[in-house]
PDB file of all heavy atoms in Angstrom:
ATOM      1  N   LEU A   1       1.728  51.416 -59.224  1.00  0.00           N
ATOM      2  CA  LEU A   1       2.095  52.280 -58.114  1.00  0.00           C
ATOM      3  C   LEU A   1       2.281  53.730 -58.552  1.00  0.00           C
ATOM      4  O   LEU A   1       2.507  54.589 -57.729  1.00  0.00           O
ATOM      5  CB  LEU A   1       3.378  51.770 -57.448  1.00  0.00           C
ATOM      6  CG  LEU A   1       3.265  50.363 -56.847  1.00  0.00           C
ATOM      7  CD1 LEU A   1       4.611  49.942 -56.286  1.00  0.00           C
ATOM      8  CD2 LEU A   1       2.209  50.305 -55.773  1.00  0.00           C
ATOM      9  N   THR A   2       2.233  53.992 -59.844  1.00  0.00           N
ATOM     10  CA  THR A   2       2.309  55.367 -60.334  1.00  0.00           C
ATOM     11  C   THR A   2       0.954  55.731 -60.911  1.00  0.00           C
ATOM     12  O   THR A   2       0.333  54.959 -61.617  1.00  0.00           O
ATOM     13  CB  THR A   2       3.393  55.522 -61.417  1.00  0.00           C
ATOM     14  OG1 THR A   2       3.121  54.617 -62.464  1.00  0.00           O
ATOM     15  CG2 THR A   2       4.766  55.268 -60.845  1.00  0.00           C
ATOM     16  N   ASN A   3       0.513  56.907 -60.596  1.00  0.00           N
ATOM     17  CA  ASN A   3      -0.818  57.324 -60.997  1.00  0.00           C
ATOM     18  C   ASN A   3      -0.861  58.845 -61.038  1.00  0.00           C
ATOM     19  O   ASN A   3      -0.442  59.481 -60.087  1.00  0.00           O
ATOM     20  CB  ASN A   3      -1.824  56.793 -59.974  1.00  0.00           C
ATOM     21  CG  ASN A   3      -3.180  56.562 -60.562  1.00  0.00           C
ATOM     22  OD1 ASN A   3      -3.399  56.814 -61.734  1.00  0.00           O
ATOM     23  ND2 ASN A   3      -4.090  56.102 -59.744  1.00  0.00           N
ATOM     24  N   PHE A   4      -1.341  59.402 -62.130  1.00  0.00           N
ATOM     25  CA  PHE A   4      -1.437  60.854 -62.260  1.00  0.00           C
ATOM     26  C   PHE A   4      -2.888  61.275 -62.426  1.00  0.00           C
ATOM     27  O   PHE A   4      -3.679  60.578 -63.044  1.00  0.00           O
ATOM     28  CB  PHE A   4      -0.655  61.351 -63.483  1.00  0.00           C
ATOM     29  CG  PHE A   4       0.829  61.342 -63.290  1.00  0.00           C
ATOM     30  CD1 PHE A   4       1.611  60.353 -63.841  1.00  0.00           C
ATOM     31  CD2 PHE A   4       1.443  62.341 -62.568  1.00  0.00           C
ATOM     32  CE1 PHE A   4       2.979  60.360 -63.684  1.00  0.00           C
ATOM     33  CE2 PHE A   4       2.807  62.361 -62.395  1.00  0.00           C
ATOM     34  CZ  PHE A   4       3.582  61.359 -62.957  1.00  0.00           C
ATOM     35  N   HIS A   5      -3.219  62.423 -61.862  1.00  0.00           N
ATOM     36  CA  HIS A   5      -4.520  63.054 -62.061  1.00  0.00           C
ATOM     37  C   HIS A   5      -4.282  64.455 -62.597  1.00  0.00           C
ATOM     38  O   HIS A   5      -3.367  65.153 -62.157  1.00  0.00           O
ATOM     39  CB  HIS A   5      -5.302  63.148 -60.754  1.00  0.00           C
ATOM     40  CG  HIS A   5      -5.847  61.847 -60.273  1.00  0.00           C
ATOM     41  ND1 HIS A   5      -6.792  61.129 -60.958  1.00  0.00           N
ATOM     42  CD2 HIS A   5      -5.565  61.130 -59.167  1.00  0.00           C
ATOM     43  CE1 HIS A   5      -7.077  60.027 -60.293  1.00  0.00           C
ATOM     44  NE2 HIS A   5      -6.330  59.997 -59.208  1.00  0.00           N
ATOM     45  N   LEU A   6      -5.133  64.861 -63.540  1.00  0.00           N
ATOM     46  CA  LEU A   6      -5.076  66.212 -64.082  1.00  0.00           C
ATOM     47  C   LEU A   6      -6.202  67.031 -63.472  1.00  0.00           C
ATOM     48  O   LEU A   6      -7.350  66.602 -63.445  1.00  0.00           O
ATOM     49  CB  LEU A   6      -5.238  66.180 -65.609  1.00  0.00           C
ATOM     50  CG  LEU A   6      -4.116  65.480 -66.371  1.00  0.00           C
ATOM     51  CD1 LEU A   6      -4.484  65.352 -67.833  1.00  0.00           C
ATOM     52  CD2 LEU A   6      -2.821  66.238 -66.222  1.00  0.00           C
ATOM     53  N   ILE A   7      -5.867  68.195 -62.939  1.00  0.00           N
ATOM     54  CA  ILE A   7      -6.854  69.074 -62.327  1.00  0.00           C
ATOM     55  C   ILE A   7      -6.763  70.428 -63.027  1.00  0.00           C
ATOM     56  O   ILE A   7      -5.755  71.104 -62.875  1.00  0.00           O
ATOM     57  CB  ILE A   7      -6.595  69.239 -60.815  1.00  0.00           C
ATOM     58  CG1 ILE A   7      -6.586  67.866 -60.158  1.00  0.00           C
ATOM     59  CG2 ILE A   7      -7.636  70.135 -60.188  1.00  0.00           C
ATOM     60  CD1 ILE A   7      -6.065  67.886 -58.745  1.00  0.00           C
ATOM     61  N   PRO A   8      -7.746  70.827 -63.784  1.00  0.00           N
ATOM     62  CA  PRO A   8      -8.984  70.167 -64.188  1.00  0.00           C
ATOM     63  C   PRO A   8      -8.698  69.117 -65.260  1.00  0.00           C
ATOM     64  O   PRO A   8      -7.690  69.199 -65.962  1.00  0.00           O
ATOM     65  CB  PRO A   8      -9.831  71.305 -64.753  1.00  0.00           C
ATOM     66  CG  PRO A   8      -8.837  72.286 -65.269  1.00  0.00           C
ATOM     67  CD  PRO A   8      -7.646  72.183 -64.354  1.00  0.00           C
ATOM     68  N   PRO A   9      -9.598  68.136 -65.437  1.00  0.00           N
ATOM     69  CA  PRO A   9      -9.367  67.070 -66.412  1.00  0.00           C
ATOM     70  C   PRO A   9      -9.550  67.502 -67.864  1.00  0.00           C
ATOM     71  O   PRO A   9      -9.200  66.771 -68.772  1.00  0.00           O
ATOM     72  CB  PRO A   9     -10.404  66.006 -66.035  1.00  0.00           C
ATOM     73  CG  PRO A   9     -11.456  66.731 -65.290  1.00  0.00           C
ATOM     74  CD  PRO A   9     -10.794  67.895 -64.626  1.00  0.00           C
ATOM     75  N   ARG A  10     -10.097  68.684 -68.105  1.00  0.00           N
ATOM     76  CA  ARG A  10     -10.252  69.220 -69.464  1.00  0.00           C
ATOM     77  C   ARG A  10     -10.174  70.743 -69.384  1.00  0.00           C
ATOM     78  O   ARG A  10     -10.479  71.329 -68.353  1.00  0.00           O
ATOM     79  CB  ARG A  10     -11.556  68.764 -70.109  1.00  0.00           C
ATOM     80  CG  ARG A  10     -12.805  69.288 -69.483  1.00  0.00           C
ATOM     81  CD  ARG A  10     -14.060  68.641 -70.027  1.00  0.00           C
ATOM     82  NE  ARG A  10     -14.041  67.193 -69.997  1.00  0.00           N
ATOM     83  CZ  ARG A  10     -14.343  66.446 -68.935  1.00  0.00           C
ATOM     84  NH1 ARG A  10     -14.691  67.030 -67.816  1.00  0.00           N
ATOM     85  NH2 ARG A  10     -14.296  65.144 -68.982  1.00  0.00           N
ATOM     86  N   VAL A  11      -9.770  71.375 -70.495  1.00  0.00           N
ATOM     87  CA  VAL A  11      -9.641  72.833 -70.536  1.00  0.00           C
ATOM     88  C   VAL A  11     -10.586  73.367 -71.603  1.00  0.00           C
ATOM     89  O   VAL A  11     -10.563  72.919 -72.742  1.00  0.00           O
ATOM     90  CB  VAL A  11      -8.187  73.248 -70.864  1.00  0.00           C
ATOM     91  CG1 VAL A  11      -8.086  74.752 -71.020  1.00  0.00           C
ATOM     92  CG2 VAL A  11      -7.234  72.762 -69.796  1.00  0.00           C
ATOM     93  N   THR A  12     -11.434  74.314 -71.206  1.00  0.00           N
ATOM     94  CA  THR A  12     -12.320  75.002 -72.142  1.00  0.00           C
ATOM     95  C   THR A  12     -12.035  76.494 -72.017  1.00  0.00           C
ATOM     96  O   THR A  12     -12.300  77.096 -70.982  1.00  0.00           O
ATOM     97  CB  THR A  12     -13.800  74.710 -71.820  1.00  0.00           C
ATOM     98  OG1 THR A  12     -13.991  73.304 -71.808  1.00  0.00           O
ATOM     99  CG2 THR A  12     -14.704  75.330 -72.859  1.00  0.00           C
ATOM    100  N   PHE A  13     -11.473  77.066 -73.072  1.00  0.00           N
ATOM    101  CA  PHE A  13     -11.123  78.489 -73.045  1.00  0.00           C
ATOM    102  C   PHE A  13     -12.337  79.381 -73.286  1.00  0.00           C
ATOM    103  O   PHE A  13     -12.336  80.529 -72.895  1.00  0.00           O
ATOM    104  CB  PHE A  13     -10.050  78.790 -74.090  1.00  0.00           C
ATOM    105  CG  PHE A  13      -8.658  78.448 -73.644  1.00  0.00           C
ATOM    106  CD1 PHE A  13      -8.048  77.288 -74.073  1.00  0.00           C
ATOM    107  CD2 PHE A  13      -7.960  79.275 -72.787  1.00  0.00           C
ATOM    108  CE1 PHE A  13      -6.764  76.969 -73.673  1.00  0.00           C
ATOM    109  CE2 PHE A  13      -6.682  78.973 -72.379  1.00  0.00           C
ATOM    110  CZ  PHE A  13      -6.083  77.809 -72.818  1.00  0.00           C
ATOM    111  N   GLY A  14     -13.361  78.888 -73.963  1.00  0.00           N
ATOM    112  CA  GLY A  14     -14.524  79.713 -74.280  1.00  0.00           C
ATOM    113  C   GLY A  14     -14.293  80.477 -75.567  1.00  0.00           C
ATOM    114  O   GLY A  14     -13.588  80.033 -76.464  1.00  0.00           O
ATOM    115  N   VAL A  15     -14.858  81.678 -75.684  1.00  0.00           N
ATOM    116  CA  VAL A  15     -14.732  82.491 -76.890  1.00  0.00           C
ATOM    117  C   VAL A  15     -13.515  83.398 -76.757  1.00  0.00           C
ATOM    118  O   VAL A  15     -13.385  84.139 -75.784  1.00  0.00           O
ATOM    119  CB  VAL A  15     -16.016  83.330 -77.131  1.00  0.00           C
ATOM    120  CG1 VAL A  15     -15.865  84.192 -78.373  1.00  0.00           C
ATOM    121  CG2 VAL A  15     -17.225  82.421 -77.251  1.00  0.00           C
ATOM    122  N   LEU A  16     -12.615  83.316 -77.747  1.00  0.00           N
ATOM    123  CA  LEU A  16     -11.368  84.074 -77.730  1.00  0.00           C
ATOM    124  C   LEU A  16     -11.325  85.044 -78.907  1.00  0.00           C
ATOM    125  O   LEU A  16     -11.892  84.772 -79.966  1.00  0.00           O
ATOM    126  CB  LEU A  16     -10.168  83.120 -77.824  1.00  0.00           C
ATOM    127  CG  LEU A  16     -10.118  81.963 -76.834  1.00  0.00           C
ATOM    128  CD1 LEU A  16      -8.904  81.096 -77.108  1.00  0.00           C
ATOM    129  CD2 LEU A  16     -10.108  82.457 -75.412  1.00  0.00           C
ATOM    130  N   LYS A  17     -10.628  86.152 -78.719  1.00  0.00           N
ATOM    131  CA  LYS A  17     -10.459  87.147 -79.778  1.00  0.00           C
ATOM    132  C   LYS A  17      -9.259  86.761 -80.633  1.00  0.00           C
ATOM    133  O   LYS A  17      -8.186  86.446 -80.115  1.00  0.00           O
ATOM    134  CB  LYS A  17     -10.244  88.524 -79.152  1.00  0.00           C
ATOM    135  CG  LYS A  17     -10.088  89.630 -80.157  1.00  0.00           C
ATOM    136  CD  LYS A  17      -9.872  90.958 -79.462  1.00  0.00           C
ATOM    137  CE  LYS A  17      -9.614  92.050 -80.475  1.00  0.00           C
ATOM    138  NZ  LYS A  17      -9.288  93.310 -79.820  1.00  0.00           N
ATOM    139  N   GLU A  18      -9.446  86.795 -81.932  1.00  0.00           N
ATOM    140  CA  GLU A  18      -8.366  86.427 -82.852  1.00  0.00           C
ATOM    141  C   GLU A  18      -7.168  87.362 -82.684  1.00  0.00           C
ATOM    142  O   GLU A  18      -7.317  88.568 -82.512  1.00  0.00           O
ATOM    143  CB  GLU A  18      -8.856  86.485 -84.304  1.00  0.00           C
ATOM    144  CG  GLU A  18      -7.800  86.046 -85.288  1.00  0.00           C
ATOM    145  CD  GLU A  18      -8.242  86.188 -86.733  1.00  0.00           C
ATOM    146  OE1 GLU A  18      -9.273  86.817 -86.996  1.00  0.00           O
ATOM    147  OE2 GLU A  18      -7.532  85.667 -87.597  1.00  0.00           O
ATOM    148  N   GLY A  19      -5.967  86.768 -82.696  1.00  0.00           N
ATOM    149  CA  GLY A  19      -4.734  87.538 -82.585  1.00  0.00           C
ATOM    150  C   GLY A  19      -4.234  87.714 -81.165  1.00  0.00           C
ATOM    151  O   GLY A  19      -3.181  88.294 -80.956  1.00  0.00           O
ATOM    152  N   CYS A  20      -4.953  87.228 -80.181  1.00  0.00           N
ATOM    153  CA  CYS A  20      -4.545  87.358 -78.783  1.00  0.00           C
ATOM    154  C   CYS A  20      -4.045  86.014 -78.251  1.00  0.00           C
ATOM    155  O   CYS A  20      -4.387  84.960 -78.766  1.00  0.00           O
ATOM    156  CB  CYS A  20      -5.700  87.843 -77.914  1.00  0.00           C
ATOM    157  SG  CYS A  20      -6.270  89.491 -78.354  1.00  0.00           S
ATOM    158  N   THR A  21      -3.230  86.075 -77.207  1.00  0.00           N
ATOM    159  CA  THR A  21      -2.701  84.874 -76.564  1.00  0.00           C
ATOM    160  C   THR A  21      -3.350  84.723 -75.199  1.00  0.00           C
ATOM    161  O   THR A  21      -3.437  85.680 -74.436  1.00  0.00           O
ATOM    162  CB  THR A  21      -1.168  84.970 -76.411  1.00  0.00           C
ATOM    163  OG1 THR A  21      -0.600  85.149 -77.709  1.00  0.00           O
ATOM    164  CG2 THR A  21      -0.604  83.718 -75.792  1.00  0.00           C
ATOM    165  N   TYR A  22      -3.799  83.512 -74.895  1.00  0.00           N
ATOM    166  CA  TYR A  22      -4.443  83.207 -73.620  1.00  0.00           C
ATOM    167  C   TYR A  22      -3.719  82.032 -72.977  1.00  0.00           C
ATOM    168  O   TYR A  22      -3.145  81.198 -73.677  1.00  0.00           O
ATOM    169  CB  TYR A  22      -5.919  82.849 -73.837  1.00  0.00           C
ATOM    170  CG  TYR A  22      -6.718  83.956 -74.477  1.00  0.00           C
ATOM    171  CD1 TYR A  22      -6.782  84.091 -75.859  1.00  0.00           C
ATOM    172  CD2 TYR A  22      -7.408  84.867 -73.698  1.00  0.00           C
ATOM    173  CE1 TYR A  22      -7.511  85.101 -76.455  1.00  0.00           C
ATOM    174  CE2 TYR A  22      -8.150  85.886 -74.283  1.00  0.00           C
ATOM    175  CZ  TYR A  22      -8.193  85.995 -75.656  1.00  0.00           C
ATOM    176  OH  TYR A  22      -8.920  87.003 -76.226  1.00  0.00           O
ATOM    177  N   ALA A  23      -3.759  81.951 -71.648  1.00  0.00           N
ATOM    178  CA  ALA A  23      -3.082  80.861 -70.945  1.00  0.00           C
ATOM    179  C   ALA A  23      -3.884  80.455 -69.713  1.00  0.00           C
ATOM    180  O   ALA A  23      -4.626  81.260 -69.145  1.00  0.00           O
ATOM    181  CB  ALA A  23      -1.679  81.287 -70.530  1.00  0.00           C
ATOM    182  N   THR A  24      -3.718  79.205 -69.334  1.00  0.00           N
ATOM    183  CA  THR A  24      -4.315  78.681 -68.110  1.00  0.00           C
ATOM    184  C   THR A  24      -3.379  77.626 -67.531  1.00  0.00           C
ATOM    185  O   THR A  24      -2.498  77.119 -68.230  1.00  0.00           O
ATOM    186  CB  THR A  24      -5.723  78.101 -68.357  1.00  0.00           C
ATOM    187  OG1 THR A  24      -6.323  77.793 -67.102  1.00  0.00           O
ATOM    188  CG2 THR A  24      -5.666  76.844 -69.206  1.00  0.00           C
ATOM    189  N   ILE A  25      -3.578  77.309 -66.258  1.00  0.00           N
ATOM    190  CA  ILE A  25      -2.728  76.342 -65.563  1.00  0.00           C
ATOM    191  C   ILE A  25      -3.513  75.055 -65.331  1.00  0.00           C
ATOM    192  O   ILE A  25      -4.659  75.089 -64.884  1.00  0.00           O
ATOM    193  CB  ILE A  25      -2.248  76.900 -64.202  1.00  0.00           C
ATOM    194  CG1 ILE A  25      -1.419  78.170 -64.394  1.00  0.00           C
ATOM    195  CG2 ILE A  25      -1.473  75.855 -63.418  1.00  0.00           C
ATOM    196  CD1 ILE A  25      -0.075  77.967 -65.016  1.00  0.00           C
ATOM    197  N   VAL A  26      -2.871  73.916 -65.615  1.00  0.00           N
ATOM    198  CA  VAL A  26      -3.404  72.597 -65.274  1.00  0.00           C
ATOM    199  C   VAL A  26      -2.407  71.955 -64.325  1.00  0.00           C
ATOM    200  O   VAL A  26      -1.199  71.977 -64.566  1.00  0.00           O
ATOM    201  CB  VAL A  26      -3.587  71.725 -66.541  1.00  0.00           C
ATOM    202  CG1 VAL A  26      -3.975  70.309 -66.173  1.00  0.00           C
ATOM    203  CG2 VAL A  26      -4.621  72.339 -67.454  1.00  0.00           C
ATOM    204  N   ILE A  27      -2.916  71.403 -63.232  1.00  0.00           N
ATOM    205  CA  ILE A  27      -2.050  70.755 -62.242  1.00  0.00           C
ATOM    206  C   ILE A  27      -2.035  69.264 -62.522  1.00  0.00           C
ATOM    207  O   ILE A  27      -3.079  68.627 -62.649  1.00  0.00           O
ATOM    208  CB  ILE A  27      -2.541  71.032 -60.811  1.00  0.00           C
ATOM    209  CG1 ILE A  27      -2.426  72.524 -60.526  1.00  0.00           C
ATOM    210  CG2 ILE A  27      -1.760  70.211 -59.801  1.00  0.00           C
ATOM    211  CD1 ILE A  27      -3.030  72.956 -59.214  1.00  0.00           C
ATOM    212  N   MET A  28      -0.831  68.712 -62.625  1.00  0.00           N
ATOM    213  CA  MET A  28      -0.654  67.273 -62.805  1.00  0.00           C
ATOM    214  C   MET A  28      -0.150  66.731 -61.484  1.00  0.00           C
ATOM    215  O   MET A  28       0.967  67.023 -61.071  1.00  0.00           O
ATOM    216  CB  MET A  28       0.335  67.007 -63.928  1.00  0.00           C
ATOM    217  CG  MET A  28       0.457  65.571 -64.284  1.00  0.00           C
ATOM    218  SD  MET A  28       1.363  65.441 -65.822  1.00  0.00           S
ATOM    219  CE  MET A  28       1.993  63.819 -65.640  1.00  0.00           C
ATOM    220  N   LYS A  29      -1.006  65.986 -60.801  1.00  0.00           N
ATOM    221  CA  LYS A  29      -0.706  65.521 -59.450  1.00  0.00           C
ATOM    222  C   LYS A  29      -0.346  64.042 -59.466  1.00  0.00           C
ATOM    223  O   LYS A  29      -1.052  63.227 -60.049  1.00  0.00           O
ATOM    224  CB  LYS A  29      -1.926  65.753 -58.562  1.00  0.00           C
ATOM    225  CG  LYS A  29      -1.691  65.467 -57.101  1.00  0.00           C
ATOM    226  CD  LYS A  29      -2.911  65.829 -56.292  1.00  0.00           C
ATOM    227  CE  LYS A  29      -2.533  66.950 -55.380  1.00  0.00           C
ATOM    228  NZ  LYS A  29      -3.592  67.368 -54.515  1.00  0.00           N
TER     229      LYS A  29
END
């Protein structure tokens, strides 16, 4: 009776510059 979905199911940041901080939101429903 309990079930979770992650939206999006995977996170791909792509190419990042060294020394910088990046963030994104994942919804757990």
Side-chain angles (χ1 to χ4, degrees):
L1 298 177
T2 57
N3 208 359
F4 285 102
H5 287 296
L6 295 172
I7 303 168
R10 67 189 52 83
V11 175
T12 305
F13 279 101
V15 179
L16 308 178
K17 181 180 176 185
E18 183 184 11
C20 297
T21 302
Y22 300 87
T24 189
I25 299 290
V26 173
I27 295 173
M28 187 168 155
K29 187 175 245 182

